[in-house]
Amino acid sequence: MTNTEKIAYLYSAVAPTEKQRVGFVHFIEKKYGKGYTLEWKQSDKYAGGFGLLVEADLYDWSAEERFRQLKKSIQGVKGNDIITLLKEEVSSWQPSVVPQETGTVLSVGDGIAILSGPERATFGEILVFSSGVKGMVLSLETETVGCILFDSDDSVSQGDIAYRTKKTAGIPTGEGFIGRVINALGEPIDGLGEIIADDYYPIERPAPDIIDRQPVNKPMETGLLVIDSMFPIGRGQRELIIGDRQTGKTAIAIDTIVNQKGKNVICIYVAIGQKMSSVIRICDTLKKYGAMDYSIVVSATAGEAAPLQYVAPYAGCALAEYFMDKGKDVLIIYDDLSKHAVAYRSLSLLLDRSPGREAYPGDVFYLHSRLLERSAHLSEEKGGGSITALPVVETQAGDVSAYIPTNIISITDGQIYLETNLFFAGQRPAVNVGLSVSRVGGDAQTTAMKKTSGTLRLDLAQYREMEAFTQFAGDLDEATLKRLAYGQGLMQLLRQDKFHPLAMNTQVLVLLIALNKVIDAQPNEFRERVFATVRYLEREYPQKMLDIERSGILSDDDKEFLIAQAKEYVERSYGK
Ligand code: ATP
Ligand code: MG
């Protein structure tokens, strides 16, 4: 920036004395050379001291003591290069006597400020505006810097000065967050008072290295028979929940949280771009089932500015990392990433980035890959903690080949595909068994589950094929009719009401009885009889149940024994 007139501005509440003027002129000459005119401007902001603006450097000799306090509070915690996103009171933040690089706001609106300077601002750096509002640099052009604002844009106006902080964004973390509802900046919004933070974590952090990870080998049970039996999810895995609107996507996620009760897993639900009423309903549900005791809800509703919706999943992930680093298992749900991509698209368009496919910016793939890659199962040396991610994606009319769905499918370890047709036919959860897959979860399944669920997928595939085929055939032989009835019975069995998770050992019994020809009944009776038999076995052999739950193993002897007992019970109760 060249300044032909070379004016330096001096701000203070009362006019400086001649002696002070000479002192400042002297200071400028020493530092910047000769040729500056010193112009005084009245400003109450520098009460009790002076502000001096030379070129892009602002010197502040006023609230030095307050600054030192803030500096101490920032440096008091570990991770010196992180600054919390929370808005600080303007009085508590003033730059010190070291020169600050500053920029000037050219325009502001839609949660975005375009600035001229600061020249050396870096991507992702936090800038502080003169009103105390913070923003994050998201675009660096030759002349301007684009910055997203973490507060209402009313408090920033054209001509405002923004200071560099040379720090990246972070959010407060700690045990105190468990059981709370917070916004994307880590501020409580549940009216339960302040949260005491133990630490600050950067919202963007590189994913753990390969060497620090271990394979997925522990199950993260959803409590839903259809998922745990055929598409098991392992701790550290990323499993996508995908489907049209109103197909029960959120229900599966909440069910999984409810099922973690007593399993020592911390659950984080990140709501992005949802209606406030939906978020409230979800919080109420979690409370009702006692799941809030181990959960955190991070909410950036549709009504909030795009920058907050954009930051929310990263903030949630930072919280998850705090617990993972402590050796805990964390389940995080991003509901949903389609809305996240839309928020990012609007930011990008407002920042004048060139639109690509479906008007998304070119880096939208990286947006989600860098988020989902942070899910991991850490090695024992690193404490053995894990983050399991269940991202949710909404499709339009079942189109999984749209831009965002294909991107996310390619960076997850599988998907649970939900279908409107099934949902309306009463098949809930509406999981399409043919199109869903879990690529690594099988390694995490307990041997008891593996042993008993073996033929389920195949049986259902056969049923689907036969079902299509029978539409053309009139008379069917007895064997085919039987197979069809069996398939229908299995489909009925996979129906499960929400918030009624099944324990692993119960699921093992259900599969054992359903898949071993213990019951021969019409589809509408099949389900009822299977569960009656399960309840009988649970009642009669509690020790065996406990053994399965504890060891995850079902021995061949036990398997034979339980099948025999089940057959006997069925014959006694139903005559066949
Ligand atoms: P949206 O696209 O609006 O986010 P969604 O796909 O997340 O919708 P949900 O909100 O989870 O869908 O569910 C839609 C409706 O279906 C809800 O009213 C829910 O109660 C009901 N529902 C979901 N799963 C089941 C189930 N297993 N049994 C009975 N009802 C269910
Ligand atoms: Mg939903």
Side-chain angles (χ1 to χ4, degrees):
M1 237 184 273
T2 54
N3 190 340
T4 46
E5 284 183 37
K6 284 193 153 184
I7 301 174
Y9 294 95
L10 181 67
Y11 305 95
S12 61
V14 288
T17 63
E18 192 48 37
K19 201 175 154 204
Q20 285 167 331
R21 269 193 92 93
V22 172
F24 282 118
V25 171
H26 196 70
F27 169 82
I28 297 167
E29 260 179 28
K30 235 171 84 185
K31 195 109 200 225
Y32 297 87
K34 284 188 194 310
Y36 284 89
T37 344
L38 188 64
E39 197 170 292
W40 176 71
K41 284 195 167 173
Q42 204 277 335
S43 162
D44 289 334
K45 225 171 98 183
Y46 297 95
F50 293 101
L52 179 66
L53 183 68
V54 193
E55 301 282 312
D57 297 339
L58 182 80
Y59 297 81
D60 189 329
W61 278 277
S62 66
E64 229 186 294
E65 184 53 39
R66 289 195 205 122
F67 175 68
R68 215 174 291 135
Q69 278 174 15
L70 177 74
K71 201 164 152 192
K72 221 172 100 202
S73 77
I74 291 174
Q75 291 180 341
V77 294
K78 97 173 187 273
N80 267 347
D81 55 341
I82 304 163
I83 192 162
T84 159
L85 291 171
L86 296 184
K87 179 182 161 185
E88 307 280 349
E89 284 305 313
V90 59
S91 56
S92 71
W93 201 90
Q94 291 288 340
S96 74
V97 271
V98 285
Q100 295 292 312
E101 289 179 79
T102 59
T104 316
V105 176
L106 296 176
S107 65
V108 60
D110 303 309
I112 284 178
I114 307 289
L115 304 129
S116 131
E119 280 174 33
R120 281 187 287 279
T122 55
F123 186 83
E125 180 176 349
I126 294 292
L127 301 182
V128 180
F129 292 80
S130 26
S131 60
V133 170
K134 292 205 179 103
M136 188 166 92
V137 176
L138 208 63
S139 128
L140 295 166
E141 304 293 329
T142 40
E143 298 289 326
T144 57
V145 167
C147 179
I148 56 175
L149 301 174
F150 294 120
D151 208 307
S152 139
D153 45 28
D154 299 346
S155 36
V156 174
S157 49
Q158 197 182 5
D160 272 5
I161 287 177
Y163 312 98
R164 274 190 74 182
T165 60
K166 300 184 185 164
K167 290 181 165 65
T168 52
I171 75 152
T173 56
E175 299 284 335
F177 282 85
I178 297 175
R180 303 298 301 267
V181 185
I182 56 172
N183 65 13
L185 308 180
E187 296 168 306
I189 50 171
D190 51 7
L192 297 177
E194 204 188 330
I195 302 175
I196 308 292
D198 300 338
D199 209 339
Y200 283 102
Y201 259 60
I203 59 166
E204 296 260 13
R205 196 171 85 158
D209 290 333
I210 290 177
I211 200 104
D212 295 332
R213 298 182 184 230
Q214 59 173 314
V216 171
N217 53 24
K218 260 197 284 179
M220 172 65 73
E221 284 148 359
T222 62
L224 296 165
L225 181 64
V226 60
I227 295 177
D228 289 348
S229 62
M230 288 181 286
F231 319 105
I233 300 168
R235 296 192 179 184
Q237 196 183 340
R238 299 148 299 179
E239 182 84 4
L240 173 64
I241 301 173
I242 186 166
D244 280 4
R245 53 177 302 278
Q246 290 289 307
T247 47
K249 303 183 295 297
T250 304
I252 287 187
I254 301 299
D255 252 319
T256 311
I257 294 183
V258 170
N259 191 46
Q260 301 314 313
K261 195 169 188 169
K263 295 205 168 104
N264 206 9
V265 174
I266 294 183
C267 301
I268 301 176
Y269 179 84
V270 186
I272 311 155
Q274 294 191 39
K275 291 187 297 265
M276 185 83 86
S277 61
S278 315
V279 179
I280 292 171
R281 197 169 336 115
I282 287 164
C283 293
D284 283 347
T285 309
L286 291 177
K287 264 190 217 119
K288 186 172 155 202
Y289 290 92
M292 211 56 206
D293 300 342
Y294 52 85
S295 301
I296 304 169
V297 175
V298 182
S299 162
T301 54
E304 284 175 66
L308 294 176
Q309 295 185 38
Y310 162 66
V311 159
Y314 300 103
C317 192
L319 267 170
E321 278 167 344
Y322 169 82
F323 293 107
M324 175 172 74
D325 288 347
K326 292 233 169 328
K328 300 246 173 75
D329 290 313
V330 185
L331 168 72
I332 185 161
I333 286 142
Y334 305 110
D335 195 0
D336 64 52
L337 289 186
S338 339
K339 297 201 181 76
H340 183 237
V342 167
Y344 187 60
R345 174 170 66 185
S346 46
L347 284 181
S348 299
L349 291 174
L350 288 165
L351 286 168
D352 271 344
R353 294 216 188 131
S354 53
R357 185 175 158 192
E358 289 179 28
Y360 287 105
D363 63 345
V364 73
F365 178 78
Y366 182 52
L367 175 79
H368 291 142
S369 63
R370 73 175 193 261
L371 173 71
L372 294 172
E373 274 295 288
R374 285 159 74 182
S375 324
H377 184 195
L378 292 184
S379 62
E380 293 307 327
E381 294 84 72
K382 290 274 168 186
S386 70
I387 297 180
T388 311
L390 295 182
V392 175
V393 160
E394 185 184 306
T395 51
Q396 309 291 331
D399 182 13
V400 286
S401 61
Y403 192 26
I404 300 300
T406 41
N407 277 350
I408 302 180
I409 285 172
S410 73
I411 44 178
T412 46
D413 306 305
Q415 71 271 351
I416 308 289
Y417 183 67
L418 303 179
E419 234 176 46
T420 313
N421 289 345
L422 289 171
F423 188 82
F424 286 124
Q427 183 68 33
R428 300 177 191 179
V431 177
N432 179 319
V433 178
L435 293 180
S436 301
V437 56
S438 171
R439 288 185 203 106
V440 295
D443 298 339
Q445 217 172 13
T446 57
T447 46
M449 268 304 247
K450 238 188 243 176
K451 201 171 197 166
T452 45
S453 65
T455 59
L456 181 57
R457 269 196 98 154
L458 201 67
D459 288 350
L460 285 173
Q462 275 178 358
Y463 161 66
R464 273 198 314 279
E465 257 178 33
M466 221 181 279
E467 194 189 24
F469 163 73
T470 50
Q471 289 173 348
F472 305 103
D475 295 333
L476 293 172
D477 61 279
E478 186 126 352
T480 314
L481 280 174
K482 237 184 172 148
R483 281 222 77 90
L484 272 175
Y486 174 58
Q488 279 164 0
L490 286 182
M491 288 302 281
Q492 296 256 357
L493 193 69
L494 294 177
R495 294 183 183 187
Q496 198 169 334
D497 244 350
K498 39 180 197 171
F499 318 131
H500 285 82
L502 292 175
M504 187 270 286
N505 53 9
T506 308
Q507 294 193 21
V508 166
L509 279 196
V510 169
L511 295 169
L512 194 69
I513 293 160
L515 302 176
N516 285 290
K517 308 208 167 16
V518 174
I519 289 165
D520 182 16
Q522 285 306 304
N524 49 356
E525 285 168 345
F526 185 75
R527 179 195 167 87
E528 195 187 304
R529 292 189 184 182
V530 169
F531 276 97
T533 317
V534 168
R535 277 193 297 273
Y536 165 76
L537 291 179
E538 282 181 335
R539 215 168 40 237
E540 294 295 309
Y541 308 102
Q543 190 53 45
K544 292 220 184 307
M545 290 292 94
L546 220 58
D547 288 348
I548 298 174
E549 189 62 52
R550 287 221 190 101
S551 65
I553 295 171
L554 177 68
S555 69
D556 283 337
D557 288 348
D558 279 351
K559 184 177 166 183
E560 295 310 323
F561 175 78
L562 288 171
I563 291 177
Q565 295 306 312
K567 280 191 172 143
E568 221 170 80
Y569 169 79
V570 170
E571 224 170 275
R572 239 183 302 137
S573 316
Y574 308 105
K576 161 77 200 53

